[in-house]
Amino acid sequence: MRRSAALLAAATLACAGSLRSQLAQVSNGIADAANAGNHAVLQGYCAAQMRALGRRGRWDEHHCLDADEGMAPPVTDAERTELAGVRERWAAVLSASERVRAAHEVVVHLLEADDAAARRRILPALAELAAAYDELARLGRAAGVTLPPLQEAP
Amino acid sequence: MTPLDIVELVGVFVVELTKLIQQGVPKDAALKRIRRITDDAATIDQDVDQAVARRTRP
């Protein structure tokens, strides 16, 4: 009987190890999607601001560049107003992106801690993270940016 | 299997499970982080502000 119990415990250990590994994969998959999404958000934010000034913007990972060649006329009051509006509309997207990052940090800390208390909190934390990502994707869509879909859990 | 066997099996299983919970599980996977977006967004604001300044009449 003790051998059966030991086998059962070993199987549970394997399942638990596999579960953590799978949760880590889910967390990493969300990190990959969010980082790719951040690139799209920054590209969209740069382009939207430059568009408000009648130019084409390009985010090169370091700066927002004016992709149009040649001199541009002085900025008009209407363009300044439009620029302020763009920043106001995109503030919600940027905040949502920060909420995704914060929710992901919680998940990473729980996976790193990996104690009994952390294991109890990990699934609700992942659910919060997924909800935060969904909200970012929704706000991004409204701003004209498509974020990568989250992969199904393995 | 007698009722006593079942009690013993459950007892041993609970002990092993308790050990497992106390030990935790292997930390084998490298965990990725999400890059902070706020600094890059502030850079974009700054770049656009500079573009506006360049196009402002003296």
Side-chain angles (χ1 to χ4, degrees):
Chain A
M1 296 308 300
R2 286 183 189 280
R3 183 189 292 176
S4 301
L7 283 174
L8 196 53
T12 307
L13 176 63
C15 286
S18 173
L19 177 63
R20 182 189 182 278
S21 175
Q22 288 188 8
L23 292 176
Q25 281 180 44
V26 170
S27 171
N28 286 348
I30 293 175
D32 286 341
N35 282 325
N38 276 353
H39 175 80
V41 166
L42 290 168
Q43 175 64 45
Y45 187 50
C46 165
Q49 289 203 49
M50 284 294 189
R51 197 162 45 243
L53 304 176
R55 310 293 280 183
R56 285 183 300 125
R58 183 173 63 83
W59 171 247
D60 74 348
E61 297 293 332
H62 301 288
H63 286 285
C64 182
L65 308 173
D66 183 346
D68 286 322
E69 292 180 2
M71 295 293 289
V75 175
T76 65
D77 288 344
E79 286 174 331
R80 286 180 196 276
T81 303
E82 175 60 20
L83 178 59
V86 165
R87 288 180 174 175
E88 198 177 312
R89 287 192 293 278
W90 277 78
V93 181
L94 300 175
S95 295
S97 171
E98 183 53 31
R99 284 196 295 277
V100 169
R101 198 191 68 81
H104 186 260
E105 282 295 306
V106 171
V107 168
V108 168
H109 285 313
L110 292 174
L111 285 169
E112 284 174 344
D114 196 31
D115 54 19
R119 283 192 285 277
R120 276 195 302 274
R121 290 176 55 204
I122 187 73
L123 290 179
L126 272 171
E128 275 186 36
L129 172 56
Y133 191 89
D134 283 347
E135 177 68 358
L136 172 60
R138 189 184 67 78
L139 291 168
R141 255 194 317 277
V145 172
T146 303
L147 272 77
L150 295 183
Q151 297 296 313
E152 292 294 322
Chain B
M1 184 182 293
T2 67
L4 200 60
D5 287 340
I6 294 172
V7 169
E8 185 190 18
L9 174 60
V10 170
V12 171
F13 177 67
V14 168
V15 168
E16 294 296 328
L17 196 59
T18 304
K19 281 185 198 168
L20 171 66
I21 290 170
Q22 286 169 348
Q23 287 168 0
V25 290
K27 295 174 174 60
D28 51 353
L31 297 169
K32 297 180 182 178
R33 300 300 234 264
I34 295 176
R35 200 160 161 247
R36 190 184 289 274
I37 201 173
T38 45
D39 289 347
D40 286 334
T43 299
I44 290 173
D45 289 347
Q46 209 170 28
D47 290 339
V48 172
D49 286 342
Q50 285 172 3
V52 170
R54 283 194 300 272
R55 291 172 49 190
T56 302
R57 290 179 200 277

